[in-house]
Amino acid sequence: MSLDPDPPAELVPSERATGPGGGDMDPEAFRDAAHRVVDLLADYLASVEGRAVFPPIEPGSIAPRFPAAPPERGEPLDAILADVERLIIPNLTHWQHPGFFAYFSTTASGPGILGELLTAGLGQNPMLWRTSPVGTELEGVVVDWLRQALGLPDTFDGLITDTASTSSLTALAAAREAAGLDVAARGLSGRDFDAPRVYASEQAHSSIEKACMTLGLGRASVVKIPTDVDYEMDVVALERAIADDRAAGRTPVAIVATIGTTSSTAVDPVDAIAPIAERERLWLHVDAAYAGPVALIPERRAAFAGWERADSIVFNPHKWLFVPFDASVLLTRRMDALHRAFSLHPEYLRTLDRTSPVRDYNEYQPQLGRRFRALKLWIHLRWFGLEGLRRRIDRHIDMAQAFASWIDDAPDWERLAPVPFSTVCFRWDPGGLGGAELDARNTAIMDAVNRTGEVFLSHTRLANRFTIRLSVGNLRTEPRHVERAWRLLRDAAAAA
Ligand SMILES: Cc1ncc(COP(=O)(O)O)c(C=O)c1O
């Protein structure tokens, strides 16, 4: 019997570009299609400012516009790309928009997008050195470039993950091993140590709690340390909490300090926390997911004092370093502890390099398969250069500081937190209103501004006050966009 069945009498449209063998898209057809996709993206990036940052779409209104069942026969690329323009692009929230001031921005830079394209096309999986020799070694190079750029000592090694959530989970799993709990081997159930404890400020990101939920430590293990008026961790309260736990026979494991909290970008005093971690022999993890890139600028490193004493640090190039989502970097002085937490050698991974000392990154993190994220980082860093990145981050800080000064100078507006980086927390407060009424008016102002589609602001609660946040971090944002946000806010307040 022949392995090649007779070609079907009529090829389906997609196979006209493939041939009847059922293989991949023909390389020439791919070349043509890829050019069209790049054209589409270039047009999108050129026009993104003219779109509403988030279009007025009702939840559940998109899925019914797609076929409920998958296509039985392949479809021509023309039809697929037409649907990208018809169904995908109009239903996006435009993170690439210069008026995106919500949450923390993530920009996909041009060089980063090209890096993503190459990453997909080269089809690497640097789970073992052998499965992607350059994927593995370039990751080491890029992590070390970033370490140097941040001004950290060469005792820090590290790896690239998808998100800060994964980086922090990985760090806390290592902290659990470093605390001698031997959970990787023996698990937690029926063990004779009492109540592991992880200390983080009440302003720490929810990913810390989620990591503890996932690692079996439980939400109960997270001790939320109070913060001061500037939302920075109260170090005296931290020391007291650790002492109380030790006295009660509990098992302190780690301290998580945040440089740039999610709500207000507060900076926990790491230089005061590090000696406590050292004295108490606790793992110190620093969450600098958003603010980390500011340390590229030597004159702005004061906020990072003491972070070189941490056991691990996370920062996200996909936030304020403009690398396309996803890219998080976990730096650590304790790769050995990560290895203890995650190393396994199943037989099917021992085909090659059984004896030579290679780095297999899968042994330092929860999952086996990994993306070749170092490639886009390498391209991105080379294209911008550290000088180019510093200049852009500096401009963002300047824009946020200008916005903060307008708030400070306006009698009916109030700033609700310090602005150490590029995020401003504020509200409208004409006096005479309070509590729920003032919250409702500020909600209405924010909603009205967002409905214009020109900018996107998000909110938080600080000291139980509805707080509007404006966070500058998009590569396309210029002073005129921040000025426009301020105009829209004042107009909405006048109408409130
Ligand atoms: C301080 C901080 N840590 C962690 C995270 C989680 O980041 P990711 O989405 O990469 O998991 C965020 C997200 O905004 C954050 O602000």
Side-chain angles (χ1 to χ4, degrees), residues 123-146:
Q124 294 296 286
N125 179 351
M127 58 183 190
L128 306 173
W129 179 85
R130 178 58 69 178
T131 58
S132 184
V134 71
T136 301
E137 296 198 15
L138 186 61
E139 182 157 341
V141 169
V142 166
V143 166
D144 197 60
W145 280 9
L146 288 167

Side-chain angles (χ1 to χ4, degrees), residues 83-104:
D83 279 351
V84 168
E85 303 216 34
R86 188 175 65 89
L87 292 171
I88 303 295
I89 291 178
N91 292 312
L92 296 171
T93 291
H94 299 286
W95 290 73
Q96 298 278 50
H97 195 294
F100 193 106
F101 296 119
Y103 317 115
F104 290 130

